[in-house]
Amino acid sequence: MFGIDDPFIILPYLLSVVCVVFAAWFGLKYWNKDDEKDETR
């Protein structure tokens, strides 16, 4: 794209996709647990 001949140039994009997927999974998994903690206050 920018004239950089580097086979690992895709690595930052791959890591960003992995981070987004993990953040979405983590947020959906613990979505209801946060509501239960608020009710115990």
Side-chain angles (χ1 to χ4, degrees):
M1 181 183 295
F2 298 107
I4 300 173
D5 189 15
D6 188 0
F8 298 106
I9 199 68
I10 194 69
L11 188 61
Y13 300 105
L14 182 62
L15 288 175
S16 65
V17 170
V18 170
C19 288
V20 168
V21 170
F22 178 76
W25 169 79
F26 187 82
L28 291 174
K29 182 177 179 182
Y30 293 101
W31 186 278
N32 294 327
K33 290 185 179 181
D34 291 338
D35 293 340
E36 291 175 0
K37 289 178 182 176
D38 291 339
E39 292 174 357
T40 57
R41 289 181 184 174

